[in-house]
Amino acid sequence: MVKAVVCGAAGGIGQPLSLLLKLNPLITELSLYDVVNALGVAADLSHIATPAQVTGFLPPDNGAERALKGADIVVIPAGVPRKPGMTRDDLFVNAGICATLASAIANACPKAFILVISNPVNSTVPVFAETLKKAGVFDPKRLFGVTHLDIVRASTFLATVLGKPEDAPKYKVPVVGGHSGVTILPLLSQAEPKIPSDVLGDKAKRDALVNRIQFGGDEVVKAKDGAGSATLSMAQAGAEFAEFVLQAAFGGKKSQRPVQAYVYLGAEAGGEAVKKEIGADLDYFSVNVELGPNGIEKILPIGQIDAAEKELLGAAVKELGPSIEKVGDPALHGDQIKAETSVQGATFQPAPPKL
């Protein structure tokens, strides 16, 4: 019996993500929480003939904690989407939503695996960690920032550059660092199968590929012309990462190969080695991890990278530091981490852009 919860289930990511989780045979109970429309989404999905039984919850009567009660895994796409001209850092307004949900998780399901999709992931994951620490229930092995869309994009864009778009699933490109712009570091030199030298050694082609992986989200925001950001691709990536965690925890299948996620480097001894590799004492970094029944079993080294990637690593580290440091203790940041939302009935200011 596995209970999954989606917080933000009625949104652009939340609806397709909830559908994909409903189709996952490991999930037997699926709770959907949002400030609006969660009941309708739940009713719709409940007609699909799969094992997961679906229930929707709204904020009244402590709806968030009722939705989360006894959850094994919580996936969180809640928050304000990006609009044209906005960076992911402009979405720090979402931190207030994340802090509120983290408090509900601390009360209702402190041992759940927590998968954070809400942007900016570079900052919202530390918000979750700090809130859970204050509640005395922080388990760093069970908290993940979902950066998997960067890995999905890397495979897709690489196959396109190589003229073999149909082979996208065959390409594996580790992507480390963070989940915003230059903090996204695709390790093309470690790709499997290996990238031909006429692409890897061509600076213009390589730079263009790296840039598209780093800023692929902008491509979608622009194409949607104010109607949202990457929702369908993010939902697929989120569901795929959830499957990795579920299989390791409940399916009896430890990860056969490392996956990448934005994690607290103190979660496992290998995090100290990563800090030495990156030359910085960062608490959070998207890195190779091995998953097991209790979440992170090992944090693995970044490994050998080439000169171009070393330069990109320096830029990523430089930008990641402030994204993490500005979080600190959420209680100390007042208006900066508050958003207008009715999660659990609370209302905060200032108002985010209208959806």
Side-chain angles (χ1 to χ4, degrees):
M1 304 290 284
V2 176
K3 178 176 178 177
V5 181
V6 179
C7 294
I13 298 171
Q15 290 200 40
L17 173 62
S18 298
L19 169 61
L20 292 169
L21 294 179
K22 174 72 167 92
L23 299 177
N24 190 310
L26 283 175
I27 296 172
T28 55
E29 184 178 353
L30 180 62
S31 285
L32 308 182
Y33 175 76
D34 212 323
V35 295
V36 293
N37 300 333
L39 304 184
V41 176
D44 195 356
L45 291 179
S46 71
H47 294 183
I48 298 172
T50 61
Q53 300 302 296
V54 189
T55 311
F57 296 86
L58 294 170
D61 302 318
N62 205 18
E65 290 191 21
R66 288 191 295 119
L68 290 161
K69 186 70 175 176
D72 298 296
I73 183 170
V74 184
V75 190
I76 302 148
V80 179
R82 262 204 304 163
K83 301 286 187 180
M86 294 174 70
T87 67
R88 286 188 181 91
D89 270 352
D90 291 332
L91 296 177
F92 194 69
V93 65
N94 286 340
I97 297 170
C98 290
T100 304
L101 290 171
S103 294
I105 289 169
N107 291 332
C109 55
K111 295 189 179 299
F113 298 104
I114 303 170
L115 280 56
V116 182
I117 292 173
S118 306
N119 275 315
V121 166
N122 295 350
S123 299
T124 54
V125 171
V127 166
F128 266 90
E130 292 301 323
T131 306
L132 294 169
K133 284 178 189 176
K134 288 183 68 177
V137 296
F138 178 49
D139 183 348
K141 295 181 184 293
R142 292 172 178 259
L143 176 64
F144 303 91
V146 180
T147 60
H148 192 59
L149 180 53
D150 301 326
I151 290 87
V152 171
R153 284 177 173 149
S155 299
T156 303
F157 299 163
L158 173 58
T160 301
V161 166
L162 297 177
K164 301 177 181 179
E166 69 280 3
D167 286 346
K170 298 179 183 178
Y171 287 95
K172 307 298 179 189
V173 182
V175 183
V176 300
H179 185 56
S180 176
V182 299
T183 70
I184 298 169
L185 173 51
L187 301 180
L188 299 177
S189 67
Q190 296 182 12
E192 296 178 5
K194 290 192 174 298
I195 301 174
S197 58
D198 63 330
V199 173
L200 199 60
D202 185 317
K203 187 176 187 306
K205 288 182 180 177
R206 181 171 179 165
D207 287 352
L209 176 57
V210 168
N211 184 267
R212 192 177 182 205
I213 295 167
Q214 290 180 326
F215 296 97
D218 294 356
E219 194 175 300
V220 179
V221 170
K222 183 178 179 181
K224 289 191 174 181
D225 194 22
S229 55
T231 54
L232 302 176
S233 54
M234 184 64 250
Q236 188 277 334
E240 190 166 281
F241 188 80
E243 171 72 0
F244 297 154
V245 175
L246 288 167
Q247 285 291 349
F250 306 106
K253 297 179 183 178
K254 290 187 179 182
S255 50
Q256 299 300 306
R257 57 183 296 131
V259 298
Q260 291 88 49
Y262 187 71
V263 301
Y264 179 67
L265 291 179
E268 198 274 328
E272 288 302 314
V274 171
K275 290 182 182 183
K276 291 178 182 177
E277 284 185 297
I278 66 177
D281 189 25
L282 295 180
D283 284 335
Y284 299 88
F285 204 77
S286 186
V287 70
N288 300 299
V289 298
E290 285 185 4
L291 300 174
N294 296 307
I296 297 169
E297 285 206 338
K298 290 183 180 179
I299 293 178
L300 302 172
I302 293 171
Q304 187 172 351
I305 59 176
D306 64 21
E309 290 159 352
K310 288 177 182 176
E311 186 175 340
L312 292 170
L313 175 61
V317 168
K318 183 178 179 181
E319 186 156 318
L320 258 179
S323 296
I324 298 167
E325 290 166 6
K326 75 177 179 181
V327 175
D329 183 345
L332 301 179
H333 287 266
D335 291 342
Q336 199 177 14
I337 70 163
K338 292 178 181 178
E340 184 178 333
T341 177
S342 55
V343 175
Q344 284 192 289
T347 300
F348 306 103
Q349 293 291 338
K354 292 187 180 297
L355 300 180

